[in-house]
Coordinates of all heavy atoms in Angstrom, one line a residue:
M354 N 0.9 -1.2 0.0 CA 0.0 0.0 0.0 C 0.9 1.2 0.0 O 1.8 1.3 0.8 CB -0.9 0.0 1.2 CG -1.7 1.2 1.4 SD -2.7 1.2 2.9 CE -4.3 0.8 2.2
Q355 N 0.6 2.2 -0.9 CA 1.3 3.4 -0.9 C 0.8 4.4 0.1 O -0.4 4.3 0.5 CB 1.2 4.1 -2.3 CG 2.4 4.0 -3.1 CD 2.3 4.8 -4.4 OE1 1.2 4.9 -5.0 NE2 3.4 5.4 -4.8
H356 N 1.7 5.2 0.6 CA 1.3 6.2 1.6 C 1.3 7.6 1.0 O 1.9 7.9 -0.1 CB 2.2 6.2 2.8 CG 3.5 6.7 2.5 ND1 4.5 5.9 2.0 CD2 4.1 8.0 2.7 CE1 5.6 6.7 1.8 NE2 5.4 7.9 2.2
V357 N 0.6 8.5 1.7 CA 0.6 9.9 1.3 C 1.2 10.7 2.5 O 1.3 10.1 3.6 CB -0.8 10.5 1.0 CG1 -1.3 9.8 -0.3 CG2 -1.8 10.3 2.1
D358 N 1.5 12.0 2.3 CA 2.0 12.7 3.5 C 0.9 13.1 4.4 O -0.3 13.0 4.2 CB 2.9 13.8 3.0 CG 2.2 15.0 2.4 OD1 1.0 15.1 2.6 OD2 2.8 15.7 1.6
G359 N 1.4 13.7 5.5 CA 0.4 14.1 6.6 C -0.6 15.2 6.2 O -1.6 15.4 6.9
N360 N -0.4 15.8 5.1 CA -1.4 16.8 4.6 C -2.7 16.1 4.4 O -3.8 16.8 4.5 CB -0.9 17.5 3.4 CG 0.2 18.5 3.7 OD1 0.1 19.3 4.5 ND2 1.3 18.4 2.9
A361 N -2.8 14.8 4.2 CA -4.0 14.1 4.0 C -4.8 14.1 5.3 O -6.0 13.7 5.2 CB -3.7 12.7 3.5
L362 N -4.2 14.4 6.4 CA -5.0 14.3 7.7 C -5.8 15.6 7.9 O -6.7 15.6 8.8 CB -4.0 14.2 8.8 CG -3.1 13.0 8.8 CD1 -2.0 13.1 9.9 CD2 -4.0 11.8 9.0
A363 N -5.6 16.6 7.1 CA -6.3 17.9 7.3 C -7.8 17.7 7.4 O -8.4 18.2 8.3 CB -5.9 18.9 6.2
G364 N -8.4 17.0 6.5 CA -9.9 16.8 6.5 C -10.3 16.0 7.6 O -11.1 16.4 8.5
P365 N -9.9 14.7 7.7 CA -10.4 13.8 8.7 C -10.1 14.3 10.2 O -10.9 14.2 11.0 CB -9.7 12.5 8.5 CG -9.1 12.6 7.1 CD -9.0 14.0 6.8
F366 N -8.9 14.9 10.4 CA -8.6 15.3 11.7 C -9.3 16.6 12.1 O -9.7 16.8 13.2 CB -7.1 15.5 11.9 CG -6.3 14.3 12.3 CD1 -6.7 13.0 11.8 CD2 -5.3 14.4 13.2 CE1 -6.0 11.9 12.2 CE2 -4.6 13.2 13.6 CZ -4.9 12.0 13.1
A367 N -9.5 17.5 11.1 CA -10.3 18.7 11.4 C -11.7 18.3 11.8 O -12.3 18.9 12.7 CB -10.3 19.6 10.2
D368 N -12.3 17.3 11.1 CA -13.6 16.9 11.4 C -13.6 16.3 12.8 O -14.5 16.5 13.7 CB -14.1 15.8 10.5 CG -14.4 16.4 9.1 OD1 -14.5 17.6 9.0 OD2 -14.6 15.6 8.2
F369 N -12.6 15.4 13.1 CA -12.6 14.7 14.4 C -12.4 15.7 15.6 O -13.1 15.6 16.6 CB -11.5 13.7 14.4 CG -11.4 12.9 15.7 CD1 -12.3 11.8 15.9 CD2 -10.6 13.2 16.7 CE1 -12.3 11.1 17.0 CE2 -10.5 12.5 17.9 CZ -11.4 11.4 18.1
F370 N -11.5 16.6 15.4 CA -11.2 17.5 16.6 C -12.1 18.7 16.7 O -11.9 19.5 17.5 CB -9.7 18.0 16.5 CG -8.7 16.9 16.8 CD1 -7.9 16.3 15.9 CD2 -8.6 16.5 18.2 CE1 -7.0 15.3 16.2 CE2 -7.7 15.5 18.5 CZ -6.9 14.9 17.6
S371 N -13.2 18.6 16.0 CA -14.2 19.7 16.2 C -15.4 19.3 17.0 O -16.4 19.9 17.0 CB -14.7 20.2 14.8 OG -15.4 19.1 14.1
F372 N -15.2 18.2 17.8 CA -16.3 17.7 18.6 C -16.3 18.3 20.0 O -15.3 18.9 20.4 CB -16.2 16.1 18.7 CG -14.9 15.7 19.4 CD1 -14.9 15.5 20.8 CD2 -13.8 15.5 18.7 CE1 -13.8 15.1 21.5 CE2 -12.6 15.1 19.4 CZ -12.6 14.9 20.8
D373 N -17.4 18.2 20.6 CA -17.5 18.6 22.0 C -16.9 17.6 22.9 O -17.3 16.5 23.1 CB -19.0 18.8 22.4 CG -19.2 19.2 23.9 OD1 -18.2 19.3 24.6 OD2 -20.4 19.3 24.3
V374 N -15.7 17.9 23.4 CA -14.9 17.0 24.1 C -15.6 16.4 25.4 O -15.3 15.3 25.8 CB -13.5 17.6 24.5 CG1 -13.7 18.6 25.6 CG2 -12.5 16.5 25.0
T375 N -16.5 17.1 25.9 CA -17.2 16.7 27.1 C -18.1 15.5 26.9 O -18.5 14.8 27.8 CB -18.0 17.8 27.8 OG1 -19.0 18.3 26.9 CG2 -17.0 18.9 28.2
T376 N -18.5 15.3 25.6 CA -19.4 14.2 25.3 C -18.7 13.0 24.8 O -19.3 12.0 24.6 CB -20.5 14.7 24.2 OG1 -19.7 15.0 23.0 CG2 -21.3 15.8 24.7
A377 N -17.4 13.1 24.6 CA -16.6 12.0 24.1 C -16.3 11.1 25.2 O -16.2 11.5 26.4 CB -15.3 12.5 23.5
T378 N -16.1 9.8 24.9 CA -15.6 8.8 25.9 C -14.2 8.4 25.6 O -13.7 8.4 24.4 CB -16.5 7.6 25.9 OG1 -16.5 7.0 24.6 CG2 -17.9 7.9 26.3
A379 N -13.5 8.1 26.6 CA -12.0 7.8 26.5 C -11.7 6.5 27.3 O -12.4 6.3 28.3 CB -11.1 8.9 27.0
R380 N -10.8 5.7 26.8 CA -10.3 4.5 27.5 C -9.0 4.9 28.2 O -8.0 5.3 27.5 CB -10.1 3.4 26.6 CG -9.7 2.1 27.3 CD -9.4 0.9 26.4 NE -10.6 0.6 25.6 CZ -10.5 0.6 24.2 NH1 -9.4 0.8 23.6 NH2 -11.6 0.3 23.5
C381 N -8.9 4.6 29.5 CA -7.7 5.0 30.3 C -6.7 3.9 30.0 O -6.9 2.7 30.1 CB -8.1 5.0 31.7 SG -6.7 5.2 32.9
N382 N -5.4 4.3 29.8 CA -4.3 3.4 29.7 C -3.9 2.8 31.0 O -3.3 1.8 31.0 CB -3.1 4.1 29.1 CG -3.1 4.2 27.6 OD1 -3.8 3.4 26.9 ND2 -2.4 5.1 27.0
G383 N -4.3 3.4 32.1 CA -3.9 2.9 33.4 C -4.7 1.8 33.9 O -4.2 0.7 34.3
C384 N -6.1 1.9 33.7 CA -6.9 0.8 34.3 C -7.9 0.2 33.3 O -8.6 -0.7 33.6 CB -7.8 1.4 35.5 SG -9.0 2.6 35.0
G385 N -7.9 0.8 32.1 CA -8.8 0.3 31.0 C -10.2 0.7 31.1 O -11.1 0.3 30.3
S386 N -10.6 1.5 32.1 CA -12.0 2.0 32.2 C -12.3 2.9 31.1 O -11.4 3.6 30.5 CB -12.2 2.6 33.5 OG -11.6 3.9 33.6
V387 N -13.6 2.9 30.7 CA -14.1 3.8 29.6 C -15.1 4.7 30.2 O -16.0 4.2 30.9 CB -14.7 2.9 28.4 CG1 -15.3 3.9 27.4 CG2 -13.6 2.0 27.9
G388 N -15.0 6.0 30.0 CA -15.9 6.9 30.5 C -15.9 8.2 29.8 O -15.0 8.5 29.1
E389 N -17.0 9.0 30.1 CA -17.1 10.3 29.4 C -16.0 11.2 30.0 O -15.7 11.2 31.2 CB -18.4 10.9 29.7 CG -19.6 10.3 29.0 CD -20.9 10.9 29.3 OE1 -20.9 11.8 30.2 OE2 -21.8 10.6 28.6
L390 N -15.3 12.0 29.1 CA -14.3 12.9 29.6 C -14.9 13.9 30.5 O -14.1 14.5 31.4 CB -13.6 13.6 28.4 CG -12.6 12.7 27.6 CD1 -12.2 13.4 26.4 CD2 -11.4 12.4 28.5
A391 N -16.1 14.2 30.5 CA -16.8 15.1 31.4 C -16.7 14.7 32.8 O -16.8 15.5 33.8 CB -18.2 15.4 31.0
R392 N -16.5 13.3 33.0 CA -16.4 12.8 34.4 C -15.0 12.7 34.9 O -14.8 12.3 36.0 CB -17.1 11.4 34.4 CG -18.5 11.5 34.0 CD -19.2 10.2 34.0 NE -19.2 9.6 35.3 CZ -19.6 8.4 35.6 NH1 -20.1 7.6 34.7 NH2 -19.5 8.0 36.9
A393 N -14.0 13.1 34.1 CA -12.6 13.0 34.5 C -12.3 14.1 35.5 O -13.1 15.0 35.7 CB -11.7 13.2 33.3
M394 N -11.2 14.0 36.2 CA -10.8 15.0 37.2 C -9.8 15.9 36.5 O -8.8 15.5 35.9 CB -10.2 14.3 38.4 CG -11.1 13.4 39.1 SD -10.3 12.6 40.5 CE -9.0 11.6 39.8
V395 N -10.1 17.2 36.5 CA -9.3 18.2 35.8 C -8.6 19.1 36.8 O -9.3 19.7 37.7 CB -10.2 19.0 34.8 CG1 -9.3 20.1 34.1 CG2 -10.8 18.1 33.8
Y396 N -7.3 19.3 36.7 CA -6.6 20.1 37.6 C -5.9 21.2 36.7 O -5.2 21.0 35.8 CB -5.4 19.4 38.3 CG -6.0 18.2 39.1 CD1 -6.2 17.0 38.6 CD2 -6.3 18.4 40.5 CE1 -6.6 15.9 39.3 CE2 -6.8 17.4 41.2 CZ -7.0 16.1 40.7 OH -7.4 15.1 41.4
R397 N -6.2 22.5 37.1 CA -5.8 23.6 36.3 C -4.8 24.4 37.2 O -5.1 24.7 38.4 CB -6.9 24.5 35.8 CG -7.9 23.7 35.0 CD -9.1 24.4 34.6 NE -8.7 25.2 33.5 CZ -9.6 26.1 32.9 NH1 -10.8 26.3 33.3 NH2 -9.2 26.7 31.8
S398 N -3.7 24.8 36.5 CA -2.8 25.7 37.2 C -2.2 26.6 36.2 O -2.4 26.6 35.0 CB -1.7 24.9 37.9 OG -0.8 24.3 36.9
G399 N -1.3 27.5 36.6 CA -0.6 28.4 35.7 C 0.2 27.6 34.7 O 0.5 28.1 33.6
A400 N 0.7 26.4 35.0 CA 1.5 25.6 34.1 C 0.7 24.9 33.0 O 1.2 24.6 32.0 CB 2.3 24.6 34.9
G401 N -0.6 24.7 33.3 CA -1.4 24.1 32.3 C -2.5 23.3 32.9 O -2.9 23.5 34.1
T402 N -3.1 22.3 32.2 CA -4.2 21.5 32.6 C -3.8 20.1 32.6 O -3.2 19.6 31.6 CB -5.4 21.8 31.7 OG1 -5.7 23.2 31.7 CG2 -6.6 21.0 32.1
V403 N -4.2 19.4 33.6 CA -3.9 17.9 33.7 C -5.3 17.2 33.9 O -6.0 17.6 34.8 CB -3.0 17.6 34.9 CG1 -2.8 16.1 35.0 CG2 -1.6 18.2 34.7
V404 N -5.5 16.2 33.1 CA -6.8 15.5 33.2 C -6.4 14.1 33.7 O -5.6 13.4 33.1 CB -7.4 15.4 31.8 CG1 -8.7 14.6 31.8 CG2 -7.6 16.8 31.1
R405 N -7.1 13.7 34.8 CA -6.8 12.4 35.4 C -8.1 11.5 35.4 O -9.2 12.0 35.5 CB -6.4 12.6 36.8 CG -5.0 13.2 37.0 CD -4.5 13.3 38.4 NE -3.2 13.7 38.5 CZ -2.1 12.8 38.5 NH1 -2.3 11.5 38.3 NH2 -0.9 13.3 38.6
C406 N -7.8 10.2 35.3 CA -8.9 9.2 35.3 C -9.6 9.3 36.7 O -8.9 9.3 37.7 CB -8.3 7.9 35.1 SG -9.4 6.5 35.2
S407 N -10.9 9.3 36.7 CA -11.7 9.3 37.9 C -11.7 8.0 38.6 O -12.1 7.9 39.8 CB -13.1 9.9 37.7 OG -13.8 9.0 36.8
T408 N -11.3 6.9 37.9 CA -11.2 5.6 38.5 C -9.9 5.3 39.2 O -9.9 4.8 40.3 CB -11.5 4.5 37.5 OG1 -12.8 4.8 36.9 CG2 -11.5 3.1 38.1
C409 N -8.8 5.6 38.5 CA -7.5 5.2 39.0 C -6.5 6.3 39.2 O -5.3 6.1 39.6 CB -6.8 4.1 38.1 SG -6.2 4.8 36.5
D410 N -6.9 7.5 38.8 CA -6.0 8.7 39.0 C -4.9 8.8 37.9 O -4.0 9.7 38.0 CB -5.4 8.8 40.4 CG -5.1 10.2 40.8 OD1 -5.8 11.2 40.4 OD2 -4.0 10.4 41.5
H411 N -4.8 7.9 37.0 CA -3.8 8.0 35.9 C -4.0 9.2 35.1 O -5.1 9.7 34.9 CB -4.0 6.7 35.0 CG -3.0 6.6 33.9 ND1 -1.7 6.1 34.2 CD2 -3.1 6.7 32.6 CE1 -1.1 6.1 33.0 NE2 -1.9 6.4 32.1
V412 N -2.9 9.8 34.7 CA -3.0 11.0 33.8 C -3.4 10.6 32.4 O -2.8 9.8 31.8 CB -1.6 11.7 33.8 CG1 -1.7 12.9 32.8 CG2 -1.2 12.3 35.1
L413 N -4.6 11.2 32.0 CA -5.1 10.9 30.7 C -4.5 11.9 29.7 O -4.2 11.5 28.6 CB -6.6 11.0 30.7 CG -7.4 10.1 31.7 CD1 -8.9 10.4 31.7 CD2 -7.2 8.6 31.2
A414 N -4.5 13.1 30.0 CA -4.1 14.1 29.1 C -3.5 15.4 29.8 O -3.8 15.6 31.0 CB -5.3 14.6 28.3
T415 N -2.7 16.1 29.1 CA -2.1 17.3 29.6 C -2.3 18.3 28.5 O -2.2 18.0 27.3 CB -0.7 17.2 30.0 OG1 0.1 16.7 28.9 CG2 -0.5 16.3 31.2
L416 N -2.5 19.6 28.9 CA -2.6 20.7 27.9 C -1.8 21.8 28.5 O -2.0 22.3 29.6 CB -4.0 21.1 27.7 CG -4.3 22.3 26.8 CD1 -3.8 22.1 25.4 CD2 -5.7 22.7 26.8
V417 N -0.9 22.3 27.7 CA 0.0 23.5 28.1 C -0.3 24.6 27.0 O -0.2 24.3 25.8 CB 1.4 23.1 28.2 CG1 2.3 24.4 28.5 CG2 1.7 22.1 29.3
E418 N -0.6 25.8 27.5 CA -0.8 26.9 26.5 C 0.0 28.0 26.9 O 0.2 28.4 28.0 CB -2.3 27.3 26.6 CG -3.2 26.2 26.2 CD -4.7 26.6 26.4 OE1 -5.2 26.4 27.4 OE2 -5.3 27.2 25.4
T419 N 0.6 28.6 25.8 CA 1.3 29.9 26.0 C 0.5 30.9 25.2 O -0.6 30.6 24.7 CB 2.7 29.8 25.5 OG1 2.7 29.5 24.1 CG2 3.5 28.8 26.3
G420 N 1.0 32.1 25.0 CA 0.3 33.1 24.3 C -0.1 32.7 22.9 O -1.3 32.9 22.5
D421 N 0.8 32.1 22.1 CA 0.5 31.8 20.7 C 0.6 30.3 20.4 O 0.6 30.0 19.2 CB 1.3 32.7 19.8 CG 2.8 32.4 19.9 OD1 3.2 31.7 20.9 OD2 3.6 32.8 19.0
R422 N 0.8 29.5 21.4 CA 1.0 28.0 21.1 C 0.3 27.2 22.2 O 0.1 27.6 23.3 CB 2.5 27.7 21.1 CG 3.2 28.3 20.0 CD 4.7 28.0 20.0 NE 5.4 28.7 19.1 CZ 6.4 28.3 18.3 NH1 6.7 27.0 18.4 NH2 7.0 29.1 17.4
A423 N 0.0 26.0 21.8 CA -0.5 25.0 22.7 C 0.0 23.6 22.4 O 0.3 23.3 21.3 CB -2.1 25.0 22.6
W424 N 0.2 22.8 23.5 CA 0.7 21.5 23.3 C -0.3 20.6 24.1 O -0.7 20.9 25.2 CB 2.0 21.3 24.0 CG 3.1 22.0 23.3 CD1 4.0 21.5 22.4 CD2 3.5 23.4 23.6 NE1 4.9 22.5 22.0 CE2 4.6 23.7 22.7 CE3 3.0 24.4 24.4 CZ2 5.2 24.9 22.7 CZ3 3.6 25.7 24.4 CH2 4.7 25.9 23.5
I425 N -0.7 19.5 23.4 CA -1.6 18.6 24.1 C -1.0 17.2 24.0 O -0.4 16.8 23.0 CB -3.0 18.6 23.5 CG1 -4.0 17.7 24.3 CG2 -3.0 18.1 22.1 CD1 -5.4 17.9 24.0
S426 N -1.1 16.5 25.1 CA -0.7 15.1 25.1 C -1.9 14.2 25.5 O -2.5 14.5 26.6 CB 0.5 14.9 26.1 OG 0.7 13.5 26.3
L427 N -2.2 13.2 24.8 CA -3.2 12.2 25.1 C -2.6 10.9 25.4 O -3.2 9.9 25.2 CB -4.2 12.2 24.0 CG -4.9 13.5 23.6 CD1 -5.7 13.3 22.3 CD2 -5.9 13.9 24.7
S428 N -1.4 10.9 25.9 CA -0.6 9.6 26.1 C -1.3 8.7 27.1 O -1.0 7.5 27.0 CB 0.8 9.9 26.5 OG 0.9 10.6 27.7
G429 N -2.1 9.2 27.9 CA -2.8 8.3 28.9 C -4.1 7.7 28.4 O -4.8 7.0 29.1
V430 N -4.4 8.0 27.1 CA -5.7 7.5 26.6 C -5.4 6.6 25.4 O -4.6 6.9 24.5 CB -6.5 8.7 26.1 CG1 -7.8 8.2 25.3 CG2 -6.9 9.6 27.2
S431 N -6.0 5.4 25.4 CA -5.7 4.5 24.3 C -6.7 4.7 23.2 O -6.4 4.3 22.0 CB -5.8 3.0 24.8 OG -7.0 2.7 25.3
A432 N -7.8 5.3 23.4 CA -8.8 5.6 22.4 C -9.8 6.6 22.9 O -10.1 6.7 24.0 CB -9.6 4.3 22.0
I433 N -10.3 7.3 21.9 CA -11.4 8.3 22.2 C -12.5 8.0 21.2 O -12.3 7.8 20.0 CB -10.9 9.7 22.0 CG1 -9.8 10.1 23.0 CG2 -12.1 10.7 22.1 CD1 -9.3 11.5 22.8
E434 N -13.7 7.9 21.8 CA -14.9 7.7 20.9 C -15.7 8.9 20.9 O -16.0 9.5 21.9 CB -15.7 6.5 21.5 CG -17.0 6.3 20.7 CD -17.9 5.2 21.4 OE1 -17.3 4.3 22.0 OE2 -19.1 5.4 21.3
V435 N -16.0 9.3 19.6 CA -16.9 10.5 19.4 C -18.1 10.1 18.7 O -18.1 9.4 17.7 CB -16.1 11.5 18.6 CG1 -17.0 12.7 18.2 CG2 -14.8 11.9 19.2
R436 N -19.2 10.5 19.2 CA -20.5 10.1 18.6 C -20.9 11.2 17.6 O -20.8 12.4 17.9 CB -21.6 10.0 19.6 CG -21.4 8.8 20.5 CD -22.4 8.6 21.5 NE -22.0 7.6 22.4 CZ -22.6 6.4 22.5 NH1 -23.6 6.1 21.8 NH2 -22.2 5.5 23.4
R437 N -21.2 10.8 16.4 CA -21.6 11.8 15.4 C -23.1 11.8 15.2 O -23.7 10.8 15.4 CB -20.9 11.4 14.1 CG -19.4 11.5 14.1 CD -18.9 11.1 12.8 NE -17.4 11.5 12.8 CZ -16.6 11.1 11.9 NH1 -17.0 10.3 10.9 NH2 -15.4 11.4 11.9
G438 N -23.5 13.0 14.9 CA -24.9 13.2 14.6 C -25.8 13.4 15.8 O -25.6 13.4 16.9
Ligands
ZN1330 ZN1 -7.9 4.8 34.9

Protein backbone atom coordinates (compact mmCIF):
# COMPACT_ATOMS: atom_id res chain seq x y z
CA MET A 1 0.00 0.00 0.00
CA GLN A 2 1.32 3.42 -0.90
CA HIS A 3 1.27 6.23 1.59
CA VAL A 4 0.60 9.95 1.29
CA ASP A 5 2.03 12.68 3.50
CA GLY A 6 0.44 14.13 6.59
CA ASN A 7 -1.40 16.81 4.64
CA ALA A 8 -4.00 14.13 3.97
CA LEU A 9 -4.97 14.34 7.66
CA ALA A 10 -6.30 17.88 7.32
CA GLY A 11 -9.86 16.84 6.46
CA PRO A 12 -10.39 13.83 8.74
CA PHE A 13 -8.58 15.32 11.73
CA ALA A 14 -10.29 18.68 11.39
CA ASP A 15 -13.62 16.85 11.45
CA PHE A 16 -12.59 14.71 14.40
CA PHE A 17 -11.17 17.48 16.56
CA SER A 18 -14.19 19.72 16.17
CA PHE A 19 -16.30 17.66 18.59
CA ASP A 20 -17.54 18.62 22.04
CA VAL A 21 -14.87 16.96 24.15
CA THR A 22 -17.18 16.67 27.15
CA THR A 23 -19.43 14.22 25.30
CA ALA A 24 -16.58 12.02 24.08
CA THR A 25 -15.62 8.84 25.89
CA ALA A 26 -12.03 7.78 26.48
CA ARG A 27 -10.30 4.54 27.50
CA CYS A 28 -7.73 4.96 30.26
CA ASN A 29 -4.32 3.39 29.66
CA GLY A 30 -3.90 2.93 33.39
CA CYS A 31 -6.94 0.83 34.30
CA GLY A 32 -8.80 0.26 31.04
CA SER A 33 -11.97 1.97 32.19
CA VAL A 34 -14.06 3.77 29.61
CA GLY A 35 -15.94 6.90 30.54
CA GLU A 36 -17.05 10.32 29.44
CA LEU A 37 -14.29 12.89 29.58
CA ALA A 38 -16.76 15.14 31.39
CA ARG A 39 -16.41 12.79 34.38
CA ALA A 40 -12.59 13.02 34.48
CA MET A 41 -10.80 15.00 37.17
CA VAL A 42 -9.30 18.21 35.80
CA TYR A 43 -6.55 20.14 37.57
CA ARG A 44 -5.76 23.61 36.30
CA SER A 45 -2.77 25.71 37.23
CA GLY A 46 -0.58 28.36 35.73
CA ALA A 47 1.52 25.62 34.10
CA GLY A 48 -1.41 24.08 32.28
CA THR A 49 -4.19 21.54 32.61
CA VAL A 50 -3.90 17.93 33.73
CA VAL A 51 -6.76 15.49 33.16
CA ARG A 52 -6.83 12.42 35.39
CA CYS A 53 -8.90 9.24 35.33
CA SER A 54 -11.66 9.35 37.94
CA THR A 55 -11.23 5.61 38.54
CA CYS A 56 -7.46 5.19 38.99
CA ASP A 57 -6.01 8.74 38.97
CA HIS A 58 -3.83 7.96 35.92
CA VAL A 59 -2.96 11.03 33.82
CA LEU A 60 -5.11 10.90 30.70
CA ALA A 61 -4.10 14.16 29.07
CA THR A 62 -2.15 17.33 29.59
CA LEU A 63 -2.57 20.69 27.94
CA VAL A 64 -0.06 23.50 28.08
CA GLU A 65 -0.84 26.85 26.52
CA THR A 66 1.27 29.93 26.00
CA GLY A 67 0.31 33.12 24.27
CA ASP A 68 0.46 31.79 20.73
CA ARG A 69 1.01 28.03 21.11
CA ALA A 70 -0.55 25.01 22.72
CA TRP A 71 0.66 21.46 23.36
CA ILE A 72 -1.62 18.56 24.11
CA SER A 73 -0.66 15.06 25.13
CA LEU A 74 -3.20 12.26 25.11
CA SER A 75 -0.64 9.63 26.06
CA GLY A 76 -2.79 8.29 28.89
CA VAL A 77 -5.69 7.52 26.58
CA SER A 78 -5.72 4.48 24.32
CA ALA A 79 -8.82 5.55 22.37
CA ILE A 80 -11.39 8.30 22.19
CA GLU A 81 -14.89 7.66 20.93
CA VAL A 82 -16.87 10.51 19.41
CA ARG A 83 -20.52 10.12 18.57
CA ARG A 84 -21.57 11.77 15.38
CA GLY A 85 -24.95 13.19 14.64
ZN1 LIG B 1 -7.91 4.75 34.93
